[in-house]
Amino acid sequence: MVTPKENRLIHRFFSWYIQYIIKTDFSSVSFNKIDVDNYKAILLLANHCSWWDGFLLFYLNKIYLKKKFHVMIIEETAKKVWFMKYLGAFSVQKQSRSVVNSLQYAAKLLENPNNLVLIFPQGQLYSNHVSSIDFEKGLLHIVQNTSKKFQYLFAVSLFDYFQNRKPTVSIYLKEWQAQEYTSLQVIKNEFNKHYDDAKGQQSKMVV
């Protein structure tokens, strides 16, 4: 399992670089504002449709949410993209015994109110045009191994070009209040309601 490493110089450089390439490669990045609880960690659940997703949400955290960023990524990516661990990435290796260690590590991070943990519940990349978002089972293990005092935040990123040469990205955020006892199906259903609403809002955009 690859875990985050501390190096201020590397973190500062790639934090600047990510912001730079986002500003140069997109015509605009927009998001709606939500209430952030400073006394709770954030479990950020997001759709995964592009190479950009993690970087865009890292950028969003930097300029708006302002928590200590963490993201679960597959182990192959963590080893290949060496700098990710300096930006808060930790790895999960599917179909292995070590997957439990990764899920427990994520749960432990959510006990610290300064942290944000980004999870892509689909587990891999899917088209921006899928009708619904599937959830892998590991998410429930994370939730069940916490004190459940974190803040759920849903993020749906949608891309369009309109009249621009470069794409625009709209990030639709929603805070969700979970019941004390919840299930993976409930979380999935609530996320997909937000996903459908985001696509509806996106389809009504006129430039």
Side-chain angles (χ1 to χ4, degrees), residues 13-25:
F13 171 77
F14 281 102
S15 178
W16 166 84
Y17 182 69
I18 288 169
Q19 183 167 337
Y20 171 77
I21 60 173
I22 286 173
K23 288 186 174 180
T24 55
D25 285 26

Side-chain angles (χ1 to χ4, degrees), residues 26 28-32 44-58 60 118 120 122 126-130 133 154-160 168-174 191 194-196 198-199 202 205:
F26 288 91
S28 70
V29 176
S30 63
F31 60 91
N32 61 294
L44 179 58
L45 304 178
N47 66 316
H48 197 16
C49 62
S50 80
W51 175 88
W52 283 101
D53 297 330
F55 295 131
L56 285 165
L57 294 170
F58 176 90
L60 175 70
L118 169 61
F120 297 110
Q122 292 166 288
Y126 285 86
S127 168
N128 198 34
H129 303 287
V130 294
I133 304 299
F154 298 159
V156 173
S157 300
L158 298 175
F159 300 82
D160 269 305
T168 65
V169 58
S170 301
I171 304 173
Y172 296 89
L173 300 174
K174 179 183 179 180
F191 185 92
H194 177 56
Y195 181 65
D196 288 341
K199 290 192 296 181
Q202 187 79 359
M205 290 180 64

Side-chain angles (χ1 to χ4, degrees), residues 11 16 24 30 40 47-48 52 59 72 79 83 90 93 107 111 113 115 117 123 135 180 184-185 198-199 202 206-207:
H11 184 279
W16 166 84
T24 55
S30 63
K40 291 183 179 180
N47 66 316
H48 197 16
W52 283 101
Y59 171 69
M72 178 184 284
K79 291 178 177 179
F83 64 85
F90 62 98
Q93 188 172 6
E111 298 301 302
N115 288 337
V117 180
F135 277 44
E180 183 177 357
L184 184 66
Q185 189 63 43
K199 290 192 296 181
Q202 187 79 359
V206 178
V207 179

Side-chain angles (χ1 to χ4, degrees), residues 138-149:
L139 176 64
L140 188 60
H141 182 95
I142 295 172
V143 172
Q144 290 177 336
N145 283 274
T146 69
S147 59
K148 300 181 178 64
K149 294 180 180 179

